[in-house]
Amino acid sequence: MLSKRKLINTLFILSFPWYGYGAYALMDRGFAVGIAICASPFLLILGFYLIDLLYRRSATPMLNGKFLLVMAALTSISASVLLGLHYRSPVINNANGFLLILLFYAPFLSSVVVQVYNRHDPGFNMADLVLKGFYAYLAFNLLGMAAGMRNLLHFFPGRASPPFAMGIYDAAHMLSIVNLMLLFHLRDFRSNPVRWFLLATVYMIDMGIILSINSRLSFMIFIVFTVLFLTHAMKALRGLFTVSLFTMPIMMSFALLIYKILSLPVFVAVMERVDEKDVTTFNGRTYIWTSAADWLRDDRRGIIFGNGYNGQYHLRLLEWVAKLWGEPGSYRLHMHSAFLEMLIDQGIVGILLMYGVYYSGYRFYQRQYLDNKAMAPLYAAFVYMMFAWQIDIVGYAFYTGFCLVFIMMGPVVMKEKPIGTSGLIPENALK
């Protein structure tokens, strides 16, 4: 019999490939349509819960104080959309701005609902549910590629092009996260050889796509954390969160060393394109990052509360980069760093709130990992995003990484279930 819990879990799993379809529709049918499609499964989960709540007419809150922190961070990015509308950003209007705000809140709140409906299931594991969602995401993209479809945002001849993703680099990040999570399931061959071979097959398919996409940034982060997790060095590492804060200056300072490493025969064979200027500027990202540094040093307009969504265009920060790259206008550019995008758009207030979110999630999943608990694989996903959002746009706004981070915050904001209590909703209401 289909229970409410199973229905919610199924919708959650399907939200992963559906998000990918929304990404395809965003380029094929327009920004507003794509964002609406991305948000729809999460809104269905929330709508179902609200109807169920009205029917039962009671609820016992089981949220801790971190819920308010997460909501404050989401309110900050939502307020940036309103400010962007005020400054008349060319990339948003009233309709798609409203849909963006819905998309910011919906994944997190639906993840909370997933925790609610699974609270009485002793076998529930959020990490497994996220992996199932990623399996569906991978299968959907494989079907799309087999049908001859390509990504409409980024496409390079001869390289893999998963069609249902916010660009091929977004897909590379997500598949890298999947493989890091799979490392936790590939430790014990003897207990279930058939399952091990199936998961190893998924791992190799993912790796093939990652290498074909040829994203050097995602590959570097993936390799570093693969080594750290395989050697169990992650258990001994301290201060990882602090190190992540300096990802960008560390990479810029060691750009030449990174080029030398990537020039080694083993990496040249894997990465194919290893050009010194391209690597040392991180495919031109340093030009953009330097513009942000100049704003911090010389300008600082909107430093407290931000300059609104697409704030770099309001400040005209990247006009010279647009001319350098032959773009018709700088409004189409982004900072190639979710951290810098948020700092410019949402100011110090917004970035501190986001740091609070990352720190809370990091501490929660680090404890899961150190205690070898069920959600330990999500620690790999979380620390990957903790570094990736500093040097790529994947952790911002409608990109998949931003959605994933707030999905992972669902378990973080739940109170630990006291022995003998019934949780957020009555157990018989879950049937």
Side-chain angles (χ1 to χ4, degrees), residues 14 34 37 80 114 119 156 190 206 222 259 268 373 387-388 395 408-410:
L14 292 177
I37 291 173
S80 78
V114 169
R119 200 162 181 81
F156 300 98
R190 294 180 181 178
D206 272 4
F222 170 71
Y259 167 69
V268 169
K373 292 185 177 179
F387 283 82
M408 289 191 288
M409 289 304 294

Side-chain angles (χ1 to χ4, degrees), residues 43-319:
L43 295 176
L44 280 174
I45 291 173
L46 294 175
F48 181 90
Y49 175 67
L50 289 175
I51 292 171
D52 193 25
L53 200 62
L54 289 172
Y55 178 75
R56 289 182 286 104
R57 299 182 183 179
S58 64
T60 304
M62 295 297 291
L63 304 169
N64 61 39
K66 296 182 181 69
F67 177 81
L68 295 178
L69 170 66
V70 176
M71 290 298 287
L74 291 171
T75 299
S76 174
I77 193 171
S78 299
S80 78
V81 172
L82 301 179
L83 189 56
L85 289 170
H86 172 73
Y87 287 139
R88 300 185 183 279
S89 167
V91 300
I92 51 173
N93 53 43
N94 290 333
N96 61 35
F98 171 73
L99 291 168
L100 263 179
I101 291 172
L102 282 181
L103 183 61
F104 294 156
Y105 287 102
F108 167 64
L109 293 175
S110 65
S111 179
V112 172
V113 171
V114 169
Q115 313 309 310
V116 168
Y117 278 95
N118 287 278
R119 200 162 181 81
H120 298 284
D121 180 7
F124 173 67
N125 182 352
M126 186 63 175
D128 284 348
L129 202 65
V130 169
L131 260 181
K132 288 176 182 177
F134 273 129
Y135 294 154
Y137 169 87
L138 174 62
F140 193 40
N141 273 289
L142 288 173
L143 287 173
M145 287 191 287
M149 301 174 72
R150 64 173 178 85
N151 196 284
L152 299 181
L153 185 59
H154 291 126
F155 172 71
F156 300 98
R159 290 158 64 181
S161 182
F164 305 115
M166 294 288 180
I168 61 172
Y169 299 131
D170 188 283
H173 285 299
M174 293 305 106
L175 296 180
S176 296
I177 285 173
V178 172
N179 273 8
L180 286 175
M181 293 180 68
L182 284 175
L183 291 178
F184 289 79
H185 299 277
L186 293 173
R187 294 173 176 172
D188 188 5
F189 170 78
R190 294 180 181 178
S191 62
N192 193 333
V194 174
R195 180 175 180 271
W196 190 94
F197 275 115
L198 287 174
L199 294 179
T201 300
V202 174
Y203 185 95
M204 294 308 297
I205 292 171
D206 272 4
M207 184 60 73
I209 297 173
I210 291 167
L211 294 177
S212 182
I213 288 173
N214 207 0
S215 169
R216 289 163 299 193
L217 282 177
S218 63
F219 187 73
M220 283 190 293
I221 300 172
F222 170 71
I223 286 295
V224 168
F225 282 114
T226 294
V227 173
L228 290 174
F229 278 110
L230 285 178
T231 60
H232 300 288
M234 286 295 290
K235 290 186 180 292
L237 279 180
R238 296 294 180 267
L240 192 63
F241 180 81
T242 303
V243 172
S244 76
L245 305 182
F246 301 98
T247 305
M248 187 182 297
I250 289 172
M251 288 189 63
M252 292 178 72
S253 299
F254 290 95
L256 189 58
L257 176 61
I258 291 172
Y259 167 69
K260 294 295 185 183
I261 293 171
L262 291 179
S263 297
L264 295 172
V266 62
F267 289 111
V268 169
V270 170
M271 301 306 296
E272 297 177 6
R273 53 191 184 105
V274 184
D275 174 79
E276 181 174 358
K277 183 179 179 182
D278 205 21
V279 172
T280 55
T281 65
F282 301 104
N283 201 24
R285 284 171 171 81
T286 55
Y287 304 140
I288 292 174
W289 297 344
T290 300
S291 295
D294 292 341
W295 166 72
L296 276 172
R297 185 184 63 245
D298 303 326
D299 189 341
R300 294 185 292 279
R301 277 178 291 167
I303 189 66
I304 304 299
F305 296 107
N307 297 279
Y309 192 85
N310 198 229
Q312 63 80 16
Y313 180 70
H314 171 65
L315 299 173
R316 300 300 194 271
L317 274 186
L318 303 181
E319 289 295 310

Side-chain angles (χ1 to χ4, degrees), residues 65-73 241 245 342 348-364 382 386 389 405-406 409 412-413:
K66 296 182 181 69
F67 177 81
L68 295 178
L69 170 66
V70 176
M71 290 298 287
F241 180 81
L245 305 182
M342 290 182 184
I348 291 175
V349 171
I351 206 68
L352 288 178
L353 288 170
M354 197 63 195
Y355 273 140
V357 168
Y358 270 104
Y359 183 72
S360 298
Y362 168 70
R363 293 288 302 200
F364 177 86
F382 206 89
M386 206 165 68
W389 84 297
V405 166
F406 283 94
M409 289 304 294
V412 179
V413 304

Side-chain angles (χ1 to χ4, degrees), residues 332-345:
R332 299 179 60 182
L333 301 178
H334 55 69
M335 300 305 297
H336 282 277
S337 162
F339 159 73
L340 287 180
E341 197 80 36
M342 290 182 184
L343 180 61
I344 292 169
D345 294 1

